[in-house]
Amino acid sequence: VGIRGINGSGKTMVLRAIAGLIRVDGSVEIGGKKMEPGECPKDIGVLVEMPGFLPEFTGKKNLQLLGMLQEGVTEEDIINAAKTSKGTFYHYFKGKEALLNSLSYLFDQKYEDLAAVIDPNLSSYDKLLFLNHELFYMIETSVDIHLLAYLYSSQLITKDKKSLSDKKRIYFKWLTEIMEEGLAKGEFKSTSTAAELMDIYAMYERALLYDWALFKGKFSLTERSDKLLPHVLDTFVEGI
């Protein structure tokens, strides 16, 4: 089966919807079964436009990262599955903690996916609402909460680079551009710089993710943020 159409007709959008990568107003059925939002059958593999691997990692390093994402997988399991040696594993990573830090860059890949579908005509305010909702929905439905908790705890004690605060990430670069756009258009009050607004926004997301992990997902991360984030963004509009 092939999908044909002119540029912009929605071919990629259909594939993303089937894979559960984006939310749609309608519904998706596969094999007669209606898929829940974000759901994709485990026997279906999807490769949309670009490979879902970190380009700065080697093949084995990507395998090690993907293995770590599976609940209950040990360093020994990862080493065996990657058909490598402990020496090679520890050449790339000092341990599972260092491997875990790479999870932040997987979140950046979600932003790359969203960059292809976000409406450029949205206001800066609405862009931030959209990006936060989609990222948190992906985390809530796809990332093991224990893994996330381990990531946050490891960032406090790690001697390696703290990936959550790495300003070279797409997360910081793109969202800072959105802050700058909001300031330039007068949408956000110029009582703060774009960098200061970015710091507040990132602090808000980290705090809510930490709280969600702390309470073991007893509340919906996406729904809670949908209610709280507008209050944060309102302070950007009114001035801090």
Side-chain angles (χ1 to χ4, degrees):
V1 176
I3 301 177
R4 295 183 61 188
I6 61 173
N7 289 342
S9 61
K11 301 183 297 297
T12 301
M13 190 77 73
V14 168
L15 294 176
R16 290 179 189 277
I18 292 172
L21 297 174
I22 59 172
R23 297 171 68 90
V24 294
D25 293 332
S27 62
V28 175
E29 288 189 12
I30 300 178
K33 179 189 175 185
K34 185 175 180 180
M35 298 291 105
E36 295 297 323
E39 181 184 6
C40 182
K42 292 183 178 180
D43 56 350
I44 291 182
V46 181
L47 185 63
V48 181
E49 292 183 327
M50 296 181 64
F53 301 107
L54 297 176
E56 62 270 26
F57 281 17
T58 64
K60 285 184 177 179
K61 198 172 180 183
N62 268 292
L63 284 175
Q64 290 160 353
L65 174 59
L66 292 172
M68 178 271 297
L69 293 174
Q70 303 302 312
E71 187 175 358
V73 173
T74 66
E75 289 179 14
E76 195 70 35
D77 294 332
I78 296 170
I79 291 168
N80 291 336
K83 296 185 177 3
T84 187
S85 65
K86 286 189 177 181
T88 301
F89 177 86
Y90 290 113
H91 172 73
Y92 291 126
F93 304 105
K94 294 177 182 177
K96 199 169 183 178
E97 174 190 309
L99 180 59
L100 188 65
N101 289 339
S102 302
L103 183 60
S104 300
Y105 299 99
L106 289 182
F107 295 163
D108 273 7
Q109 284 202 318
K110 178 62 177 178
Y111 278 105
E112 290 182 349
D113 290 339
L114 293 173
V117 299
I118 192 171
D119 182 354
N121 296 316
L122 288 176
S123 65
S124 297
Y125 188 108
D126 287 335
K127 283 179 181 177
L128 294 173
L129 287 177
F130 171 76
L131 293 174
N132 171 263
H133 178 91
E134 293 300 320
L135 178 69
F136 275 17
Y137 182 80
M138 183 272 286
I139 292 173
E140 186 172 13
T141 58
S142 306
V143 177
D144 181 76
I145 196 167
H146 302 292
L147 186 66
L148 188 71
Y150 189 22
L151 169 65
Y152 272 76
S153 62
S154 71
Q155 291 283 284
L156 297 175
I157 59 175
T158 184
K159 294 180 181 179
D160 294 325
K161 182 171 65 175
K162 291 180 170 59
S163 59
L164 287 176
S165 58
D166 183 2
K167 295 299 177 68
K168 293 180 181 179
R169 287 177 51 205
I170 293 172
Y171 170 76
F172 284 102
K173 290 181 178 179
W174 188 18
L175 268 64
T176 299
E177 288 177 3
I178 294 174
M179 306 296 180
E180 291 172 344
E181 180 184 276
L183 288 169
K185 292 182 177 179
E187 187 181 342
F188 298 152
K189 219 161 198 180
S190 58
T191 52
S192 302
T193 65
E196 289 170 337
L197 294 180
M198 181 66 231
D199 285 343
I200 294 168
Y201 182 90
M203 191 186 310
Y204 161 79
E205 289 201 324
R206 287 196 300 268
L208 191 52
L209 283 167
Y210 175 85
D211 206 48
W212 183 66
L214 180 66
F215 287 95
K216 297 179 170 48
K218 289 185 178 178
F219 60 86
S220 168
L221 175 66
T222 312
E223 290 178 7
R224 181 68 58 87
S225 192
D226 285 347
K227 291 179 180 179
L228 295 180
L229 183 56
H231 296 290
V232 176
L233 298 183
D234 285 345
T235 65
F236 293 5
V237 175
E238 296 163 4
I240 299 173

